[in-house]
Amino acid sequence: MGLTSETTVYVMAALAAVCVGLLVWSWPRFARQGLRQVLGRLLAIGTTQVVMIAAFACWLNSSYQFFGSWGELFGRVETAPVGVTQAGDDGGTGTVNGAAVKGSPVQPAGDEQLSRVSGLPTGPAAVNGRVESVKVIGRRTGVVDPAFVYLPPQYFQKAYQRQRFPVIVALSGYPGSIFNLAQHLRVSQTAGALQKSGLMQPTVMVMIRPTIAPPRDTECVNVPGGPQTETFLARDLPDALKSAYRVGHDASAWGVMGYSSGASCALQLTMRDPHVYTTAAALSPDYRVKDDPTTGSLFGGGPDRTERMNGHDLMWRLEHLPVPQVSVLVAESKHGERGYARTQAFIKAVKAPMRVASILPEQGSHNFPTWVQEMPPALKWMNQQLTFPQDVVPRHHRKGAAVTEHTPTATTRR
């Protein structure tokens, strides 16, 4: 039984009901005086509560996909196969005539999560677009991370067959999943509707999680001696996407957005890696990365610890380091969220050539209904910042590079 399957939820619910029934039935036996009876009562109550909490946790995880498998829950994550090479290099391969080939950094993935998402494109891809379920393999980091990729209708149309497209990478919060981005934040559905109505240029949307070493929350930090999250998101991910899809090669065509800790990550990536991402939209972000029980030690020890911590403090960066030429949008509710004062301070601290915009609703909470409301204006704003790539895919390639023209064969929702 999979961790997120309905069968697991039903089994746990039934087990909880059985425990409650056994507790009620056996309680008269434990009502007597004596050490054994007292210990029996404590054991019966404790066992019933644990099973009930576990059943509720399974239901919650199945609904929001915090952890996708038992392995993730217990910290066992998939690692990249030995010898993976970037598609497009001599000897490397990607997808040819619709067949996935060993060596591509973007591989097809199962559709267990994608099949549960409502409102995805159906019908001909050239009319409605398509969402693919893939896994991205980090050539430098060895990370294997699942992703959903939305390709707009124009991607499949003859008039655009040599055209590259801008990219927006959408990041989930912790311990969220790509299912949350697709089902609850409605990333591809919102982008598709905006593009269809002409309010947003055709854009490839990539939904991915920054939690590359679950259950640990690594934020967007290269942990000394540990997970290299920033390298994966700022180097491995863009390289993999460029090798597999017709997307822009210049940073002006790349943006990143997220909610909660994913929003913090979006700001971090844009301000720390402006040569990769030039635009960010952050829904309810923090402006400083710090250690907590879910992260462990993100910055290690030694004399460089303070420097590493300061490097991930965006207010410190604005005061002490050259300001990058990027555009960022921050969203925070005036009432109902705790970060409004910090957001105002960040807005005031931004200086040229960096630009900042904001969405500041009167009411809202740190939840999906608030972020869904903020998504359309955030995407329209990002659309105005990103450039539609002028570069086109050459008609002729050297051997081994042609794989960049093809869409990875992946599990798709049509």
Side-chain angles (χ1 to χ4, degrees), residues 131-155:
V131 177
E132 300 185 338
S133 177
V134 301
K135 57 181 178 181
V136 178
I137 302 171
R139 185 168 60 89
R140 298 172 183 83
T141 59
V143 169
V144 180
D145 211 19
F148 293 153
V149 180
Y150 165 77
L151 302 171
Q154 291 83 355
Y155 192 92

mmCIF file of all heavy atoms in Angstrom, residues 131-155:
data_model
loop_
_atom_site.group_PDB
_atom_site.id
_atom_site.type_symbol
_atom_site.label_atom_id
_atom_site.label_comp_id
_atom_site.label_asym_id
_atom_site.label_seq_id
_atom_site.Cartn_x
_atom_site.Cartn_y
_atom_site.Cartn_z
ATOM 1 N N VAL A 131 0.218 18.810 -19.603
ATOM 2 C CA VAL A 131 1.011 18.735 -18.376
ATOM 3 C C VAL A 131 1.666 17.365 -18.326
ATOM 4 O O VAL A 131 0.996 16.341 -18.490
ATOM 5 C CB VAL A 131 0.140 18.958 -17.122
ATOM 6 C CG1 VAL A 131 0.993 18.807 -15.863
ATOM 7 C CG2 VAL A 131 -0.489 20.348 -17.147
ATOM 8 N N GLU A 132 2.988 17.354 -18.107
ATOM 9 C CA GLU A 132 3.742 16.107 -18.057
ATOM 10 C C GLU A 132 4.263 15.856 -16.651
ATOM 11 O O GLU A 132 4.600 16.791 -15.931
ATOM 12 C CB GLU A 132 4.925 16.166 -19.024
ATOM 13 C CG GLU A 132 4.523 16.373 -20.465
ATOM 14 C CD GLU A 132 5.698 16.316 -21.418
ATOM 15 O OE1 GLU A 132 6.839 16.529 -20.966
ATOM 16 O OE2 GLU A 132 5.461 16.049 -22.608
ATOM 17 N N SER A 133 4.317 14.596 -16.283
ATOM 18 C CA SER A 133 4.900 14.177 -15.014
ATOM 19 C C SER A 133 6.285 13.606 -15.296
ATOM 20 O O SER A 133 6.422 12.634 -16.034
ATOM 21 C CB SER A 133 4.025 13.115 -14.343
ATOM 22 O OG SER A 133 4.618 12.662 -13.148
ATOM 23 N N VAL A 134 7.317 14.241 -14.731
ATOM 24 C CA VAL A 134 8.693 13.845 -15.001
ATOM 25 C C VAL A 134 9.485 13.804 -13.707
ATOM 26 O O VAL A 134 9.002 14.221 -12.654
ATOM 27 C CB VAL A 134 9.383 14.824 -15.993
ATOM 28 C CG1 VAL A 134 8.628 14.888 -17.305
ATOM 29 C CG2 VAL A 134 9.506 16.216 -15.376
ATOM 30 N N LYS A 135 10.702 13.311 -13.795
ATOM 31 C CA LYS A 135 11.649 13.443 -12.699
ATOM 32 C C LYS A 135 12.918 14.077 -13.261
ATOM 33 O O LYS A 135 13.362 13.745 -14.361
ATOM 34 C CB LYS A 135 11.946 12.098 -12.035
ATOM 35 C CG LYS A 135 12.481 11.022 -12.953
ATOM 36 C CD LYS A 135 12.705 9.724 -12.189
ATOM 37 C CE LYS A 135 13.200 8.607 -13.110
ATOM 38 N NZ LYS A 135 13.392 7.334 -12.378
ATOM 39 N N VAL A 136 13.445 15.025 -12.504
ATOM 40 C CA VAL A 136 14.632 15.758 -12.925
ATOM 41 C C VAL A 136 15.834 15.201 -12.172
ATOM 42 O O VAL A 136 15.820 15.094 -10.942
ATOM 43 C CB VAL A 136 14.475 17.265 -12.635
ATOM 44 C CG1 VAL A 136 15.740 18.017 -13.040
ATOM 45 C CG2 VAL A 136 13.255 17.825 -13.365
ATOM 46 N N ILE A 137 16.873 14.859 -12.918
ATOM 47 C CA ILE A 137 18.070 14.259 -12.341
ATOM 48 C C ILE A 137 19.182 15.299 -12.348
ATOM 49 O O ILE A 137 19.564 15.805 -13.406
ATOM 50 C CB ILE A 137 18.502 13.008 -13.125
ATOM 51 C CG1 ILE A 137 17.353 11.987 -13.151
ATOM 52 C CG2 ILE A 137 19.748 12.381 -12.509
ATOM 53 C CD1 ILE A 137 17.585 10.810 -14.062
ATOM 54 N N GLY A 138 19.689 15.631 -11.162
ATOM 55 C CA GLY A 138 20.733 16.631 -11.035
ATOM 56 C C GLY A 138 22.095 16.063 -11.400
ATOM 57 O O GLY A 138 22.591 15.164 -10.712
ATOM 58 N N ARG A 139 22.699 16.571 -12.464
ATOM 59 C CA ARG A 139 23.992 16.039 -12.912
ATOM 60 C C ARG A 139 25.098 16.328 -11.904
ATOM 61 O O ARG A 139 26.012 15.531 -11.708
ATOM 62 C CB ARG A 139 24.352 16.644 -14.275
ATOM 63 C CG ARG A 139 25.618 16.092 -14.899
ATOM 64 C CD ARG A 139 25.741 16.526 -16.346
ATOM 65 N NE ARG A 139 25.784 17.973 -16.467
ATOM 66 C CZ ARG A 139 26.914 18.697 -16.418
ATOM 67 N NH1 ARG A 139 28.068 18.099 -16.209
ATOM 68 N NH2 ARG A 139 26.879 19.995 -16.563
ATOM 69 N N ARG A 140 25.030 17.480 -11.242
ATOM 70 C CA ARG A 140 26.068 17.857 -10.276
ATOM 71 C C ARG A 140 25.781 17.306 -8.885
ATOM 72 O O ARG A 140 26.674 16.896 -8.168
ATOM 73 C CB ARG A 140 26.182 19.375 -10.208
ATOM 74 C CG ARG A 140 26.589 20.040 -11.516
ATOM 75 C CD ARG A 140 26.478 21.559 -11.404
ATOM 76 N NE ARG A 140 26.787 22.214 -12.679
ATOM 77 C CZ ARG A 140 25.909 22.369 -13.652
ATOM 78 N NH1 ARG A 140 24.666 21.894 -13.513
ATOM 79 N NH2 ARG A 140 26.264 22.969 -14.772
ATOM 80 N N THR A 141 24.501 17.334 -8.488
ATOM 81 C CA THR A 141 24.142 17.022 -7.109
ATOM 82 C C THR A 141 23.724 15.571 -6.901
ATOM 83 O O THR A 141 23.697 15.097 -5.773
ATOM 84 C CB THR A 141 22.980 17.925 -6.653
ATOM 85 O OG1 THR A 141 21.850 17.706 -7.521
ATOM 86 C CG2 THR A 141 23.383 19.387 -6.710
ATOM 87 N N GLY A 142 23.345 14.878 -7.982
ATOM 88 C CA GLY A 142 22.830 13.521 -7.827
ATOM 89 C C GLY A 142 21.416 13.470 -7.308
ATOM 90 O O GLY A 142 20.899 12.405 -7.000
ATOM 91 N N VAL A 143 20.732 14.625 -7.223
ATOM 92 C CA VAL A 143 19.358 14.691 -6.722
ATOM 93 C C VAL A 143 18.396 14.205 -7.802
ATOM 94 O O VAL A 143 18.579 14.477 -8.996
ATOM 95 C CB VAL A 143 19.010 16.139 -6.324
ATOM 96 C CG1 VAL A 143 17.510 16.289 -6.059
ATOM 97 C CG2 VAL A 143 19.810 16.551 -5.098
ATOM 98 N N VAL A 144 17.375 13.473 -7.398
ATOM 99 C CA VAL A 144 16.275 13.096 -8.280
ATOM 100 C C VAL A 144 14.998 13.683 -7.685
ATOM 101 O O VAL A 144 14.600 13.314 -6.583
ATOM 102 C CB VAL A 144 16.154 11.566 -8.416
ATOM 103 C CG1 VAL A 144 14.993 11.208 -9.337
ATOM 104 C CG2 VAL A 144 17.449 10.966 -8.937
ATOM 105 N N ASP A 145 14.386 14.615 -8.396
ATOM 106 C CA ASP A 145 13.235 15.345 -7.851
ATOM 107 C C ASP A 145 12.073 15.272 -8.834
ATOM 108 O O ASP A 145 12.263 15.510 -10.036
ATOM 109 C CB ASP A 145 13.621 16.808 -7.606
ATOM 110 C CG ASP A 145 12.865 17.426 -6.445
ATOM 111 O OD1 ASP A 145 12.325 16.670 -5.611
ATOM 112 O OD2 ASP A 145 12.820 18.667 -6.352
ATOM 113 N N PRO A 146 10.861 14.946 -8.360
ATOM 114 C CA PRO A 146 9.717 14.905 -9.272
ATOM 115 C C PRO A 146 9.275 16.303 -9.666
ATOM 116 O O PRO A 146 9.472 17.268 -8.929
ATOM 117 C CB PRO A 146 8.641 14.196 -8.440
ATOM 118 C CG PRO A 146 8.990 14.524 -7.018
ATOM 119 C CD PRO A 146 10.494 14.573 -6.982
ATOM 120 N N ALA A 147 8.661 16.410 -10.840
ATOM 121 C CA ALA A 147 8.180 17.706 -11.318
ATOM 122 C C ALA A 147 6.999 17.500 -12.246
ATOM 123 O O ALA A 147 6.860 16.452 -12.889
ATOM 124 C CB ALA A 147 9.298 18.467 -12.039
ATOM 125 N N PHE A 148 6.141 18.500 -12.311
ATOM 126 C CA PHE A 148 5.125 18.608 -13.345
ATOM 127 C C PHE A 148 5.549 19.746 -14.275
ATOM 128 O O PHE A 148 5.981 20.803 -13.798
ATOM 129 C CB PHE A 148 3.747 18.930 -12.773
ATOM 130 C CG PHE A 148 3.144 17.830 -11.931
ATOM 131 C CD1 PHE A 148 2.228 18.151 -10.937
ATOM 132 C CD2 PHE A 148 3.465 16.502 -12.136
ATOM 133 C CE1 PHE A 148 1.668 17.152 -10.149
ATOM 134 C CE2 PHE A 148 2.910 15.500 -11.350
ATOM 135 C CZ PHE A 148 2.000 15.830 -10.365
ATOM 136 N N VAL A 149 5.398 19.541 -15.565
ATOM 137 C CA VAL A 149 5.761 20.564 -16.545
ATOM 138 C C VAL A 149 4.550 20.869 -17.414
ATOM 139 O O VAL A 149 4.023 19.970 -18.097
ATOM 140 C CB VAL A 149 6.946 20.110 -17.419
ATOM 141 C CG1 VAL A 149 7.298 21.193 -18.442
ATOM 142 C CG2 VAL A 149 8.165 19.797 -16.552
ATOM 143 N N TYR A 150 4.115 22.126 -17.383
ATOM 144 C CA TYR A 150 3.015 22.573 -18.239
ATOM 145 C C TYR A 150 3.597 23.184 -19.504
ATOM 146 O O TYR A 150 4.420 24.111 -19.448
ATOM 147 C CB TYR A 150 2.146 23.603 -17.518
ATOM 148 C CG TYR A 150 1.215 24.358 -18.460
ATOM 149 C CD1 TYR A 150 0.053 23.766 -18.944
ATOM 150 C CD2 TYR A 150 1.518 25.654 -18.873
ATOM 151 C CE1 TYR A 150 -0.786 24.447 -19.810
ATOM 152 C CE2 TYR A 150 0.679 26.346 -19.729
ATOM 153 C CZ TYR A 150 -0.470 25.736 -20.206
ATOM 154 O OH TYR A 150 -1.297 26.418 -21.063
ATOM 155 N N LEU A 151 3.178 22.655 -20.651
ATOM 156 C CA LEU A 151 3.595 23.171 -21.948
ATOM 157 C C LEU A 151 2.386 23.831 -22.610
ATOM 158 O O LEU A 151 1.341 23.180 -22.776
ATOM 159 C CB LEU A 151 4.123 22.033 -22.828
ATOM 160 C CG LEU A 151 5.301 21.248 -22.237
ATOM 161 C CD1 LEU A 151 5.596 20.013 -23.086
ATOM 162 C CD2 LEU A 151 6.529 22.130 -22.129
ATOM 163 N N PRO A 152 2.491 25.101 -22.992
ATOM 164 C CA PRO A 152 1.341 25.799 -23.574
ATOM 165 C C PRO A 152 1.000 25.263 -24.952
ATOM 166 O O PRO A 152 1.829 24.586 -25.593
ATOM 167 C CB PRO A 152 1.829 27.257 -23.650
ATOM 168 C CG PRO A 152 3.314 27.148 -23.764
ATOM 169 C CD PRO A 152 3.695 25.947 -22.937
ATOM 170 N N PRO A 153 -0.183 25.554 -25.465
ATOM 171 C CA PRO A 153 -0.574 25.037 -26.789
ATOM 172 C C PRO A 153 0.415 25.418 -27.886
ATOM 173 O O PRO A 153 0.691 24.622 -28.788
ATOM 174 C CB PRO A 153 -1.942 25.673 -27.019
ATOM 175 C CG PRO A 153 -2.465 25.995 -25.660
ATOM 176 C CD PRO A 153 -1.271 26.318 -24.824
ATOM 177 N N GLN A 154 0.953 26.639 -27.807
ATOM 178 C CA GLN A 154 1.864 27.104 -28.852
ATOM 179 C C GLN A 154 3.103 26.217 -28.967
ATOM 180 O O GLN A 154 3.721 26.147 -30.038
ATOM 181 C CB GLN A 154 2.278 28.555 -28.564
ATOM 182 C CG GLN A 154 1.175 29.568 -28.734
ATOM 183 C CD GLN A 154 0.283 29.677 -27.506
ATOM 184 O OE1 GLN A 154 0.438 28.916 -26.546
ATOM 185 N NE2 GLN A 154 -0.649 30.618 -27.533
ATOM 186 N N TYR A 155 3.470 25.572 -27.878
ATOM 187 C CA TYR A 155 4.645 24.693 -27.893
ATOM 188 C C TYR A 155 4.502 23.594 -28.946
ATOM 189 O O TYR A 155 5.500 23.106 -29.485
ATOM 190 C CB TYR A 155 4.840 24.081 -26.501
ATOM 191 C CG TYR A 155 6.170 23.384 -26.309
ATOM 192 C CD1 TYR A 155 7.270 24.064 -25.801
ATOM 193 C CD2 TYR A 155 6.329 22.041 -26.621
ATOM 194 C CE1 TYR A 155 8.494 23.435 -25.612
ATOM 195 C CE2 TYR A 155 7.541 21.393 -26.442
ATOM 196 C CZ TYR A 155 8.626 22.101 -25.943
ATOM 197 O OH TYR A 155 9.830 21.468 -25.778
#
